[in-house]
C-alpha cells in the first residue's frame, strides 16, 4: 500500500493515493500516460510530470478535447488516465465520454477529481453531484467510488487491469483509513459492519460517516449493517438483495438524491421485494457554503444518518 | 443612468474616477479574499482596470433598473474572479458595499462564482470557462434582430480561450457581423498552473481573431485612457465584432504577486495581506 499524505492527523486526501499509485503503475507499464487540462496540480500529478514528462499530455483548458484525445491515445496503443475536476470531465465532456470512450468502447480511464461538494464555496458549477447519474446511464462504463486511500489505490490498480472504459471518482475531502474486510474486487460490495435490523448502503466519503452512525445505533441496541458499495457499475445486486432482507435500507452518497447510488439501489430493490428506503444526498443546486457546512446543512452527518435509520426502521412492514 | 454616456470624450475627471475605482477594487477584493481565505486574487488584479473602465466610463446601466431592456450588457466570463467583479458591482450600486464582507460565507449571495438569481448586474451564471462569449453572442444577436441600441461586452481570461466553445462563437459572431459585440481578453499570459504559451499556446492571438472576421485592438490593459478609447468608440459602421486584447499582468499592483502563477488562487496570510495593502495606495 502506498503512503498517502495525512491531511489532518488520521485523515487522508485520496488524490495523494491516486498520484502515488499512478506513478507506480507507470514505472511498470510504459503504455500508461496521463492526460490533463490545466489540471496538473489539482490532480496532484506534479510528481508524475517530473518523473515522466514525455508521458503527460496537457491539452490546456479544453475538457472535450481532453477526453477525445484520451480516446485517440488508446487507439494508438496507450493506456491513458485522463484526469480533471469531476464536474468538467463529466458535464463538459459528456458527449465525448459517451461517444468516444464508452460507445466506442476504448481502454481509457477517466479520473473525476475533487468530486461531490469538495469545491464548497465555489458553488454548483464546480460541485459534481450529478456525475454518477449521468455516467450510470452509460452501461458499459465501470464506475468506482472509493471510500479511502487504500480503496483508491486498489480502484486505480483495478482500472489499469481492466481492458475497457473505467471512471474512478476521487475525492479530496479528508477521510480516515477504514478497516477493510478483504481484497478489493470490482463489482463486489463489502460489509464493514454487521447488522440485520437495517442496512446502510454508502460509498465514497459517506462510508465513514455511515460507520459512525452504525456504531452509535449499536449503543441503542439497533444493529445496522454498513455496506460499502464502491462499485456503482456493475452493481452488486446480491449485496443489495441481502440488505433488503433486513427490511429497511438507507443509502448515503455525496451526490444528488436523484439518479445516483440511491437510485441504483432502488432500481434493484423495486424489481424484487420492495422495502422502505431512504435516499440521503443533496437536493439539487446548493447555496453558498464550505463542503463541511453543506454536509452538515443537508444532513450528511453520522447523527442524521442514524436518525434516518431509526425512521426507516419504523416504516418496516 | 449612473455612468458616463457612451461616446463621451475621455475627460480627465472620468479617468481620475476610473483610477480611484480600480484601486478601490483591488483593495476591497483583496480584503474579501483575505477574510474568506479563498478566491482568485491574481486574476482579480489583472482585470481590475478593465472592470473599472467598463463600469465607470463605458457601460450604460441603471442599478435601480437592472432589467432595463436597453441596458448595455456585461458578461463576466472569467467567473472565478468574483473578488473584482462583486467589488465593481457594489461600487456601481447594484448592492451595498457592506454585503461584500459576506463573500463565500454560508448562505451568502456572494458565491465563489456569480449567480444572476442572487445578484442584479449579473447577466448569466459563469464559472465553467468558455461560456461567456457564446452567451454574449446570443445577447448581441437579440440586439441585432431588434436593431436595439445596447452594446454587449464580455470579459474572458486568456487560458479560457483554449475552450473550443469560444471559437464556435467567434465563427457565429464573425459570420453575423455583430458590431454590437465586444470581447475583452484579459491577456495576462498565465492560466491556472502555468503560462499559456507553455500549455497550449495562443499566439499570434490577434491574427486568430482577424481570421475569424473580427476587428482587433491591442491595448495596455492597465492603461485607463487606452481602454476607455477603444471601448467607448462607437461600433456603428464597424461591420464586425470587436476583440480587445488587453495586455495585463496577473497580480498587477502588488510586487510579490506580479506575474506570479502562484497567485492564481493563492490567498494571503496576515503579513502578505498587510504588505499588499501598504503597496495598494
Ligand atoms: C471549464 C473549466 N475548466 C476548468 C476550470 C478551472 N479553472 C478555473 S480558473 C482556470 C484558469 C483560467 O485561466 P485564465 O482564463 O487565463 O484566467 P485568469 O488568468 O484571468 O485568471 C481554470 C483552469 C474552470 N473554471 N472551468
Ligand atoms: Mg490568464
Amino acid at each position: 500500500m502506498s503512503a498517502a499524505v495525512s491531511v489532518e492527523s488520521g485523515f487522508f486526501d485520496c488524490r495523494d493515493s491516486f498520484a502515488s499509485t499512478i506513478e507506480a503503475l507507470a514505472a511498470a507499464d510504459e503504455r500508461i500516460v496521463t492526460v490533463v487540462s490545466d489540471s496538473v496540480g489539482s490532480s496532484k500529478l506534479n510528481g508524475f510530470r517530473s518523473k515522466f514528462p514525455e508521458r503527460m499530455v496537457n491539452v490546456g483548458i479544453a475538457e472535450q478535447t481532453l477526453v477525445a484525445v484520451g480516446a485517440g491515445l488508446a487507439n494508438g496503443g496507450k493506456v491513458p488516465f485522463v484526469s480533471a475536476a469531476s464536474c468538467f470531465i463529466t458535464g463538459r465532456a459528456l458527449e465525448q465520454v459517451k461517444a468516444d470512450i464508452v460507445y466506442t468502447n476504448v481502454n481509457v480511464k477517466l479520473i473525476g477529481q475533487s468530486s461531490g461538494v469538495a469545491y464548497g464555496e465555489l458553488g454548483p458549477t464546480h460541485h459534481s453531484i450529478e456525475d454518477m447519474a449521468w455516467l450510470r446511464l452509460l452501461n458499459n462504463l465501470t464506475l468506482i467510488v472509493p471510500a479511502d486511500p487504500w480503496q483508491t489505490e486498489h480502484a486505480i490498480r483495478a482500472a489499469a487491469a481492466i481492458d475497457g472504459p473505467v471512471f474512478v471518482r476521487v475525492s479530496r475531502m479528508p477521510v480516515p483509513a477504514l478497516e477493510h474486510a478483504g481484497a478489493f474486487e470490482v463489482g463486489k460490495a463489502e460489509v464493514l459492519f454487521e447488522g440485520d435490523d437495517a442496512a446502510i448502503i454508502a460509498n465514497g466519503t459517506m462510508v465513514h460517516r455511515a460507520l459512525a452512525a452504525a456504531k452509535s445505533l449499536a449503543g441503542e441496541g439497533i444493529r445496522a449493517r454498513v455496506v460499502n458499495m464502491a462499485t456503482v457499475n456493475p452493481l452488486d445486486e446480491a449485496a443489495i438483495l441481502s440488505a433488503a432482507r433486513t427490511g429497511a435500507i438507507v443509502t448515503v452518497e455525496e451526490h444528488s438524491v436523484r439518479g445516483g447510488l440511491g437510485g441504483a439501489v432502488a432500481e434493484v430493490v423495486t424489481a424484487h421485494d420492495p422495502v422502505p428506503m431512504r435516499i440521503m444526498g443533496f437536493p439539487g443546486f446548493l447555496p453558498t457554503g464550505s463542503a463541511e457546512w453543506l454536509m452538515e446543512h443537508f444532513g450528511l452527518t453520522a447523527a442524521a444518518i442514524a436518525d434516518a435509520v431509526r425512521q426507516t426502521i419504523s416504516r418496516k412492514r | 443612468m449612473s455612468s458616463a454616456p457612451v461616446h463621451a470624450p475621455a475627460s480627465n475627471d472620468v479617468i481620475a474616477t476610473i483610477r480611484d475605482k480600480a484601486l478601490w477594487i483591488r483593495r476591497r477584493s483583496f480584503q474579501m479574499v483575505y477574510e474568506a481565505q479563498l478566491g482568485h486574487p491574481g486574476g482579480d488584479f489583472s482585470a481590475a482596470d478593465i472592470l473599472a473602465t467598463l463600469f465607470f466610463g463605458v457601460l450604460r446601466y441603471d442599478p435601480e433598473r437592472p432589467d432595463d431592456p436597453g441596458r448595455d450588457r456585461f458578461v463576466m466570463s472569467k467567473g472565478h474572479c468574483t473578488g473584482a467583479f462583486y467589488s465593481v458591482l457594489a461600487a456601481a450600486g447594484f448592492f451595498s458595499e457592506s454585503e461584500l464582507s459576506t463573500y463565500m460565507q454560508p448562505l451568502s449571495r456572494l458565491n465563489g462564482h456569480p449567480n444572476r438569481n442572487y445578484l442584479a448586474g449579473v447577466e448569466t451564471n459563469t464559472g465553467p470557462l468558455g461560456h461567456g462569449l457564446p452567451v454574449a453572442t446570443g445577447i448581441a444577436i437579440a440586439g441585432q434582430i431588434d436593431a436595439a441600441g445596447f452594446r454587449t461586452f464580455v470579459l474572458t481570461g486568456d487560458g479560457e480561450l483554449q475552450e473550443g466553445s469560444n471559437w464556435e462563437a467567434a465563427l457565429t459572431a464573425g459570420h453575423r457581423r455583430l458590431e454590437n459585440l465586444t470581447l475583452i481578453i484579459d491577456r495576462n499570459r498565465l492560466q491556472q498552473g502555468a503560462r499559456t504559451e507553455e500549455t497550449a499556446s495562443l499566439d499570434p492571438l490577434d491574427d486568430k481573431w482577424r481570421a475569424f472576421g473580427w476587428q482587433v485592438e491591442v491595448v495596455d490593459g492597465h492603461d485607463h485612457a487606452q481602454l476607455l478609447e477603444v471601448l467607448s468608440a462607437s461600433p456603428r459602421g464597424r461591420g464586425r465584432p470587436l476583440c480587445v486584447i488587453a495586455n495585463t499582468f496577473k497580480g498587477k499592483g502588488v510586487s510579490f504577486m506580479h506575474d506570479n502563477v502562484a497567485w492564481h488562487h493563492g490567498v494571503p496570510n496576515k503579513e502578505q495581506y498587510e504588505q499588499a495593502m501598504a503597496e495598494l495606495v
Side-chain angles (χ1 to χ4, degrees):
Chain A
M1 177 175 164
S2 47
V5 174
S6 172
V7 172
E8 199 182 295
S9 127
F11 283 82
F12 301 88
D13 176 339
C14 290
R15 293 178 303 168
D16 292 313
S17 186
F18 157 73
S20 52
T21 307
I22 191 69
E23 285 176 33
L25 287 169
D29 182 348
E30 59 182 31
R31 297 172 308 155
I32 290 179
V33 296
T34 55
V35 194
V36 293
S37 49
D38 196 14
S39 47
V40 185
S42 51
S43 297
K44 298 254 183 180
L45 284 172
N46 289 307
F48 183 100
R49 182 174 55 188
S50 27
K51 288 197 180 106
F52 313 104
E54 71 295 344
R55 284 161 65 185
M56 172 179 279
V57 181
N58 188 347
V59 301
I61 310 168
E63 293 79 8
Q64 299 177 48
T65 292
L66 169 85
V67 171
V69 162
L73 285 161
N75 179 290
K78 304 296 178 195
V79 179
F81 277 71
V82 180
S83 177
S86 199
C87 55
F88 303 131
I89 200 174
T90 59
R92 187 57 169 272
L94 194 56
E95 186 168 285
Q96 279 75 12
V97 173
K98 172 186 167 185
D100 306 347
I101 307 291
V102 188
Y103 180 50
T104 304
N105 194 21
V106 290
N107 190 23
V108 171
K109 319 304 163 188
L110 302 167
I111 312 298
Q113 302 276 3
S114 302
S115 51
V117 296
Y119 282 118
E121 298 88 339
L122 298 189
T125 57
H126 283 56
H127 297 160
S128 196
I129 58 172
E130 304 89 0
D131 50 5
M132 289 295 106
W134 291 333
L135 298 178
R136 223 160 62 66
L137 299 171
L138 307 174
N139 55 291
N140 63 312
L141 175 62
T142 301
L143 276 181
I144 310 177
V145 186
D148 73 351
W150 177 88
Q151 202 162 48
T152 304
E153 170 181 352
H154 288 279
I156 298 298
R157 289 187 179 279
I162 291 171
D163 183 14
V166 181
F167 181 94
V168 184
R169 193 181 197 236
V170 177
S171 176
R172 67 166 192 185
M173 293 293 291
V175 287
L178 304 171
E179 275 178 43
H180 295 276
F184 174 72
E185 219 183 302
V186 173
K188 206 91 185 99
E190 59 173 350
V191 174
L192 293 178
F193 195 87
E194 297 288 348
D196 287 322
D197 294 332
I200 309 171
I201 303 178
N203 64 18
T205 57
M206 291 298 126
V207 174
H208 76 95
R209 293 168 191 245
L211 270 171
K215 284 174 187 161
S216 82
L217 288 165
E220 308 166 15
I222 298 174
R223 298 290 304 187
R225 181 184 310 174
V226 176
V227 182
N228 175 13
M229 189 69 63
T231 314
V232 176
N233 192 35
L235 209 51
D236 187 343
E237 297 204 5
I240 294 171
L241 294 178
S242 168
R245 285 194 286 276
T246 67
I249 295 179
V250 172
T251 64
V252 202
E253 59 198 304
E254 191 188 342
H255 186 271
S256 168
V257 290
R258 301 172 197 205
L261 174 66
V265 169
E267 286 165 16
V268 174
V269 170
T270 52
H272 294 81
D273 287 318
V275 293
M277 264 190 79
R278 168 79 178 273
I279 296 176
M280 300 182 77
F282 292 107
F285 296 136
L286 304 179
T288 309
S290 70
E292 265 311 322
W293 184 88
L294 290 168
M295 288 190 188
E296 285 273 332
H297 190 75
F298 290 98
L300 294 180
T301 61
I305 296 168
D307 268 347
V309 169
R310 286 185 207 101
Q311 286 165 18
T312 311
I313 285 176
S314 75
R315 291 166 50 213
K316 269 196 188 184
R317 285 183 301 240
Chain B
M1 301 293 159
S2 76
S3 66
V6 100
H7 322 321
S11 79
N12 289 338
D13 280 1
V14 174
I15 295 284
T17 302
I18 292 169
R19 193 195 316 116
D20 290 351
K21 298 292 181 185
L23 177 64
W24 187 84
I25 290 167
R26 285 193 172 87
R27 291 181 59 89
R28 194 65 190 84
S29 65
F30 207 56
Q31 185 189 340
M32 290 161 66
V33 170
Y34 174 60
E35 286 169 1
Q37 284 293 297
L38 282 168
H40 293 82
D44 285 338
F45 287 4
S46 60
D49 298 298
I50 297 163
L51 291 170
T53 306
L54 281 167
F55 280 84
F56 293 96
V58 180
L59 295 172
R60 293 170 310 155
Y61 57 89
D62 178 355
E64 302 301 320
R65 296 173 57 229
D67 295 331
D68 180 349
R71 71 192 182 281
D72 284 344
R73 308 303 200 273
F74 172 69
V75 172
M76 182 67 170
S77 192
K78 43 175 277 180
H80 54 291
C81 293
T82 39
F85 187 37
Y86 293 153
S87 293
V88 82
L89 288 180
F94 285 97
F95 54 88
S96 85
E97 287 174 18
S98 63
E99 192 170 353
L100 292 173
S101 49
T102 71
Y103 188 43
M104 295 208 228
Q105 295 306 307
L107 302 176
S108 171
R109 302 198 299 163
L110 276 54
N111 191 270
H113 294 97
N115 184 331
R116 72 180 287 272
N117 303 293
Y118 295 157
L119 293 176
V122 177
E123 297 287 350
T124 185
N125 296 8
T126 51
L129 299 165
H131 286 249
L133 180 59
V135 174
T137 298
I139 298 171
I141 292 171
Q144 187 182 51
I145 290 169
D146 292 347
F150 69 83
R151 297 179 67 189
T152 301
F153 296 82
V154 51
L155 176 63
T156 67
D158 50 358
E160 178 176 4
L161 297 179
Q162 291 157 352
E163 290 286 2
S165 50
N166 291 298
W167 302 97
E168 298 176 7
L171 280 174
T172 299
H175 177 80
R176 298 190 67 108
R177 301 181 168 278
L178 292 177
E179 66 183 15
N180 55 354
L181 177 64
T182 297
L183 162 67
I184 305 153
I185 300 168
D186 184 347
R187 183 73 171 116
N188 59 27
R189 309 190 83 87
L190 288 172
Q191 48 193 93
Q192 180 166 268
R195 300 203 160 269
T196 58
E197 302 313 285
E198 289 164 1
T199 308
S201 45
L202 299 168
D203 283 335
L205 190 53
D206 50 349
D207 288 347
K208 288 187 175 65
W209 289 97
R210 278 192 202 97
F212 277 71
W214 290 55
Q215 179 176 323
V216 177
E217 301 287 350
V218 181
V219 301
D220 175 344
H222 301 302
D223 182 319
H224 305 136
Q226 279 187 40
L227 284 166
L228 190 61
E229 188 182 329
V230 295
L231 293 174
S232 56
S234 170
R236 293 218 185 273
R238 187 181 279 144
R240 282 174 294 171
L242 173 65
C243 168
V244 176
I245 299 175
N247 286 315
T248 57
F249 291 101
K250 218 162 195 162
K252 167 78 178 182
V254 172
S255 55
F256 60 88
M257 295 169 67
H258 187 86
D259 197 29
N260 181 350
V261 76
W263 288 95
H264 173 71
H265 53 209
V267 295
N269 61 27
K270 186 162 189 286
E271 202 176 36
Q272 290 166 325
Y273 176 65
E274 281 165 4
Q275 187 187 330
M277 292 312 242
E279 291 185 23
L280 290 170
V281 286

